[in-house]
Amino acid sequence: MINQRSTTILPKNGYDIQEAIDAVPSNNKEVVFILVEPGIYNEKIVVPADKPFITLSGSKPNGTVITGSDSGNIFESATFTVLASDFVGRYLTIQVYITSPCMCGPGAKAVALRVSGDRAAFFGCRILSYQDTLLDDTGRHYYSNCYIEGAVDFIFGNAASLFERCHLHTLSEGDASIIAQRRESPSEETGFTFLGCKITGVRTAVLGRPWGPYSRVIFVLTYMSNVILPQGWDDWGDSSKQSTVFYREYKCYGPGANNRKRVEWSQLLTAKEAEIFLTKNMIGGKNWIRSTPKRFKKASFAISNNSTTH
């Protein structure tokens, strides 16, 4: 049981976000609330596995921007990496800042956010890159009212995640995939569910393709603009995966949700089948998704960065 009387860390001018995270005791058992004042923070941040129960919060996402420019290895290059359990991110922009044209060209992988801890939640965040924006790697995760932007496989990984009321914006200029889920066996309880979301974009894209042979993606009550191609899904050039993937839609709407020309190996859910995907129970969220603490034990040191340039 965690201590609900939380600590707040308000770092002094000159401190960066990583220093505030590093100041949290290892294996702490109380919520630590780190308030980040508006500004642009050019940092590569890691929340280590031995620092659970951290909440990192800005006051509004457009004002608190964490930016990086690394690319390449998807597990090492992320601007922001969460390895700890019970992490919460609130009202932050996490992005890859494109410093050269080659970074956003075909094949260039630049991860903005990697989430590899269990029971992680993000509220009102903006997550921005081009290819491989959000590595939703392992664990149970919840994304609420987040804006996620990219062009190729920009939400990918093998977590068990619920995206609720999120806005997905594809920069694809052809037929790139939005989702690349990696479930590798039928015994894995992983997959991505998008509930009450919105999909927009600049040209056309498909909803998803299988990074793993048992890839599982569900769209429920989601608005799909005409950016979504009629076929809806792609098998990534491997027809054998058509019989093992689980790609489903339920009561989605908008011009891109027309299912008359969907690939035959995707299906619509019945009302009974959809029930489990309409609540947070699918990720056990009732037991771990927490609200902002109301009481704090102490205030020690708010992160402030008045820089307005990258």
Side-chain angles (χ1 to χ4, degrees), residues 265-301:
W265 38 273
S266 72
Q267 297 178 28
L268 299 178
L269 293 173
T270 66
K272 184 64 176 177
E273 292 170 332
E275 285 179 0
I276 191 175
F277 302 112
L278 297 174
T279 72
K280 299 178 181 64
N281 292 339
M282 56 168 294
I283 55 171
K286 184 178 179 181
N287 298 320
W288 59 267
I289 297 173
R290 63 182 187 268
S291 58
T292 304
K294 303 298 184 190
R295 301 173 62 195
F296 300 95
K297 291 171 63 177
K298 62 182 178 179
S300 50
F301 65 101

Coordinates of all heavy atoms in Angstrom, one line a residue, residues 265-301:
W265 N -10.1 -10.3 -43.2 CA -9.6 -10.9 -42.0 C -9.7 -10.0 -40.8 O -9.2 -10.3 -39.7 CB -8.2 -11.4 -42.1 CG -7.3 -10.6 -43.0 CD1 -7.2 -10.7 -44.4 CD2 -6.4 -9.5 -42.6 NE1 -6.3 -9.7 -44.8 CE2 -5.8 -9.0 -43.8 CE3 -6.1 -9.0 -41.4 CZ2 -4.9 -8.0 -43.7 CZ3 -5.1 -8.0 -41.3 CH2 -4.6 -7.5 -42.5
S266 N -10.3 -8.8 -40.9 CA -10.7 -8.0 -39.8 C -12.2 -8.1 -39.6 O -12.9 -8.5 -40.6 CB -10.3 -6.5 -40.0 OG -11.2 -5.9 -41.0
Q267 N -12.7 -7.9 -38.4 CA -14.1 -8.1 -38.2 C -14.7 -7.0 -37.3 O -14.0 -6.2 -36.7 CB -14.4 -9.4 -37.5 CG -13.9 -10.6 -38.3 CD -14.1 -11.9 -37.5 OE1 -15.0 -12.1 -36.7 NE2 -13.3 -12.9 -37.9
L268 N -16.1 -6.9 -37.3 CA -16.8 -6.1 -36.3 C -17.1 -6.9 -35.1 O -17.4 -8.1 -35.2 CB -18.0 -5.5 -37.0 CG -17.9 -4.7 -38.3 CD1 -19.2 -4.3 -38.8 CD2 -17.0 -3.5 -38.0
L269 N -17.0 -6.2 -33.9 CA -17.4 -6.9 -32.7 C -18.9 -6.8 -32.5 O -19.6 -5.9 -33.0 CB -16.8 -6.1 -31.5 CG -15.3 -6.2 -31.3 CD1 -14.8 -5.3 -30.2 CD2 -14.8 -7.7 -31.1
T270 N -19.5 -7.8 -31.9 CA -20.9 -7.7 -31.5 C -21.0 -6.9 -30.2 O -19.9 -6.7 -29.5 CB -21.5 -9.1 -31.2 OG1 -20.8 -9.7 -30.1 CG2 -21.3 -10.0 -32.4
A271 N -22.2 -6.5 -29.8 CA -22.3 -5.8 -28.5 C -21.8 -6.5 -27.4 O -21.2 -6.0 -26.5 CB -23.8 -5.4 -28.4
K272 N -22.1 -7.8 -27.3 CA -21.6 -8.7 -26.2 C -20.1 -8.7 -26.2 O -19.4 -8.6 -25.1 CB -22.2 -10.1 -26.3 CG -21.8 -11.0 -25.2 CD -22.4 -10.5 -23.9 CE -22.1 -11.5 -22.8 NZ -22.7 -11.0 -21.4
E273 N -19.5 -8.9 -27.3 CA -18.0 -9.0 -27.4 C -17.3 -7.7 -27.0 O -16.2 -7.7 -26.5 CB -17.6 -9.4 -28.8 CG -17.9 -10.8 -29.2 CD -17.7 -11.1 -30.7 OE1 -17.8 -10.1 -31.5 OE2 -17.5 -12.3 -31.1
A274 N -18.0 -6.6 -27.3 CA -17.4 -5.3 -27.1 C -17.5 -4.9 -25.6 O -16.7 -4.0 -25.2 CB -18.2 -4.2 -27.9
E275 N -18.3 -5.5 -24.8 CA -18.4 -5.1 -23.4 C -17.1 -5.0 -22.6 O -16.9 -4.0 -21.9 CB -19.4 -6.1 -22.7 CG -20.8 -6.0 -23.0 CD -21.7 -7.0 -22.3 OE1 -21.1 -7.8 -21.5 OE2 -22.9 -7.0 -22.5
I276 N -16.2 -5.9 -22.8 CA -15.0 -5.9 -22.1 C -14.1 -4.7 -22.5 O -13.3 -4.2 -21.7 CB -14.2 -7.2 -22.2 CG1 -13.0 -7.3 -21.3 CG2 -13.7 -7.3 -23.7 CD1 -12.3 -8.6 -21.3
F277 N -14.3 -4.2 -23.7 CA -13.5 -3.1 -24.2 C -14.1 -1.7 -23.9 O -13.5 -0.7 -24.3 CB -13.3 -3.2 -25.7 CG -12.6 -4.5 -26.1 CD1 -13.4 -5.5 -26.8 CD2 -11.3 -4.8 -25.7 CE1 -12.8 -6.7 -27.1 CE2 -10.7 -6.0 -26.0 CZ -11.5 -7.0 -26.8
L278 N -15.2 -1.6 -23.2 CA -15.9 -0.4 -22.9 C -15.5 0.2 -21.5 O -16.0 1.3 -21.1 CB -17.4 -0.5 -23.0 CG -17.9 -0.9 -24.4 CD1 -19.4 -1.2 -24.3 CD2 -17.6 0.2 -25.4
T279 N -14.7 -0.5 -20.7 CA -14.3 -0.1 -19.4 C -12.8 -0.2 -19.2 O -12.1 -0.8 -20.1 CB -15.0 -0.9 -18.3 OG1 -14.5 -2.2 -18.3 CG2 -16.5 -0.9 -18.6
K280 N -12.3 0.3 -18.1 CA -10.9 0.1 -17.7 C -10.6 -1.3 -17.2 O -9.4 -1.5 -16.9 CB -10.5 1.2 -16.8 CG -10.7 2.6 -17.3 CD -10.3 3.7 -16.2 CE -10.5 5.1 -16.8 NZ -11.9 5.4 -17.0
N281 N -11.6 -2.1 -17.0 CA -11.3 -3.4 -16.5 C -10.4 -4.3 -17.3 O -9.7 -5.1 -16.7 CB -12.7 -4.2 -16.3 CG -13.6 -3.6 -15.3 OD1 -13.2 -2.8 -14.4 ND2 -14.9 -3.9 -15.4
M282 N -10.3 -4.0 -18.6 CA -9.4 -4.8 -19.4 C -8.0 -4.7 -19.0 O -7.1 -5.5 -19.3 CB -9.6 -4.5 -20.9 CG -9.4 -3.0 -21.2 SD -9.3 -2.6 -22.9 CE -7.8 -3.5 -23.3
I283 N -7.6 -3.6 -18.4 CA -6.2 -3.4 -17.9 C -6.2 -3.3 -16.4 O -5.1 -3.0 -15.8 CB -5.6 -2.1 -18.5 CG1 -6.4 -0.9 -18.2 CG2 -5.4 -2.3 -20.0 CD1 -5.8 0.5 -18.6
G284 N -7.3 -3.7 -15.7 CA -7.3 -3.7 -14.3 C -7.2 -2.3 -13.7 O -6.8 -2.1 -12.6
G285 N -7.6 -1.3 -14.5 CA -7.3 0.1 -14.2 C -8.0 0.6 -13.0 O -7.5 1.5 -12.3
K286 N -9.1 0.0 -12.6 CA -9.8 0.5 -11.4 C -8.9 0.4 -10.1 O -9.1 1.1 -9.2 CB -11.1 -0.4 -11.2 CG -11.9 0.1 -10.0 CD -13.2 -0.8 -10.0 CE -14.1 -0.3 -8.8 NZ -15.3 -1.2 -8.7
N287 N -8.0 -0.6 -10.2 CA -7.1 -0.8 -9.0 C -5.9 0.1 -8.9 O -5.2 0.1 -7.9 CB -6.7 -2.3 -8.9 CG -7.9 -3.2 -8.8 OD1 -8.8 -2.9 -8.1 ND2 -7.9 -4.3 -9.5
W288 N -5.5 0.7 -10.1 CA -4.2 1.4 -10.0 C -4.2 2.8 -10.7 O -3.3 3.6 -10.4 CB -3.1 0.6 -10.7 CG -3.3 0.2 -12.1 CD1 -3.9 -1.0 -12.5 CD2 -3.0 0.9 -13.3 NE1 -3.9 -1.0 -13.9 CE2 -3.4 0.1 -14.4 CE3 -2.4 2.2 -13.5 CZ2 -3.2 0.6 -15.7 CZ3 -2.2 2.6 -14.8 CH2 -2.6 1.8 -15.9
I289 N -5.2 3.2 -11.5 CA -5.2 4.5 -12.1 C -5.6 5.5 -11.0 O -6.7 5.3 -10.4 CB -6.2 4.6 -13.3 CG1 -5.7 3.7 -14.4 CG2 -6.3 6.0 -13.8 CD1 -6.7 3.5 -15.6
R290 N -4.8 6.4 -10.7 CA -5.0 7.3 -9.6 C -5.2 8.8 -10.0 O -4.7 9.2 -11.0 CB -3.9 7.2 -8.5 CG -2.5 7.7 -9.1 CD -1.4 7.5 -8.0 NE -0.2 8.1 -8.4 CZ 0.8 7.4 -9.1 NH1 0.6 6.1 -9.4 NH2 1.9 8.0 -9.4
S291 N -5.9 9.5 -9.2 CA -6.1 10.9 -9.4 C -5.0 11.7 -8.8 O -4.1 11.2 -8.1 CB -7.5 11.4 -8.8 OG -7.5 11.1 -7.4
T292 N -5.0 13.0 -9.1 CA -3.9 13.9 -8.5 C -4.1 14.0 -7.0 O -5.2 14.2 -6.5 CB -4.1 15.3 -9.1 OG1 -4.0 15.2 -10.5 CG2 -2.9 16.2 -8.6
P293 N -3.0 13.8 -6.3 CA -3.0 13.9 -4.8 C -3.5 15.2 -4.3 O -3.3 16.3 -5.0 CB -1.6 13.6 -4.4 CG -0.9 13.0 -5.5 CD -1.6 13.5 -6.8
K294 N -4.3 15.2 -3.2 CA -4.8 16.5 -2.6 C -3.9 17.0 -1.5 O -4.0 18.1 -1.1 CB -6.2 16.3 -2.2 CG -7.2 15.8 -3.3 CD -7.3 16.8 -4.4 CE -8.3 16.3 -5.4 NZ -8.3 17.1 -6.7
R295 N -3.2 16.1 -0.9 CA -2.4 16.4 0.3 C -1.0 16.1 0.1 O -0.6 15.1 -0.5 CB -2.9 15.7 1.5 CG -4.4 15.9 1.9 CD -4.9 15.0 3.0 NE -4.1 15.2 4.2 CZ -4.1 14.4 5.3 NH1 -4.8 13.2 5.2 NH2 -3.4 14.7 6.3
F296 N -0.1 16.9 0.6 CA 1.3 16.7 0.4 C 2.1 16.9 1.7 O 1.7 17.7 2.6 CB 1.9 17.8 -0.6 CG 1.3 17.7 -1.9 CD1 0.2 18.5 -2.3 CD2 1.7 16.8 -2.9 CE1 -0.4 18.5 -3.5 CE2 1.1 16.7 -4.1 CZ 0.1 17.6 -4.4
K297 N 3.1 16.1 1.9 CA 3.9 16.1 3.2 C 4.8 17.3 3.2 O 5.0 17.9 4.3 CB 4.7 14.8 3.3 CG 3.8 13.6 3.6 CD 4.6 12.3 3.5 CE 5.7 12.3 4.6 NZ 6.4 11.0 4.5
K298 N 5.4 17.7 2.1 CA 6.3 18.8 2.1 C 6.6 19.3 0.7 O 6.2 18.6 -0.3 CB 7.7 18.3 2.7 CG 8.4 17.2 1.9 CD 9.7 16.7 2.5 CE 10.3 15.6 1.7 NZ 11.6 15.2 2.3
A299 N 7.1 20.4 0.6 CA 7.5 21.0 -0.7 C 9.0 21.2 -0.6 O 9.5 21.9 0.2 CB 6.8 22.3 -1.0
S300 N 9.8 20.6 -1.5 CA 11.2 20.7 -1.4 C 11.9 21.6 -2.4 O 12.5 22.5 -2.1 CB 11.9 19.3 -1.4 OG 11.4 18.6 -2.4
F301 N 11.8 21.3 -3.6 CA 12.4 22.2 -4.5 C 11.8 22.2 -5.8 O 11.1 21.3 -6.1 CB 14.0 22.0 -4.7 CG 14.4 20.7 -5.3 CD1 14.8 20.6 -6.6 CD2 14.4 19.6 -4.6 CE1 15.2 19.5 -7.2 CE2 14.8 18.4 -5.1 CZ 15.2 18.3 -6.4

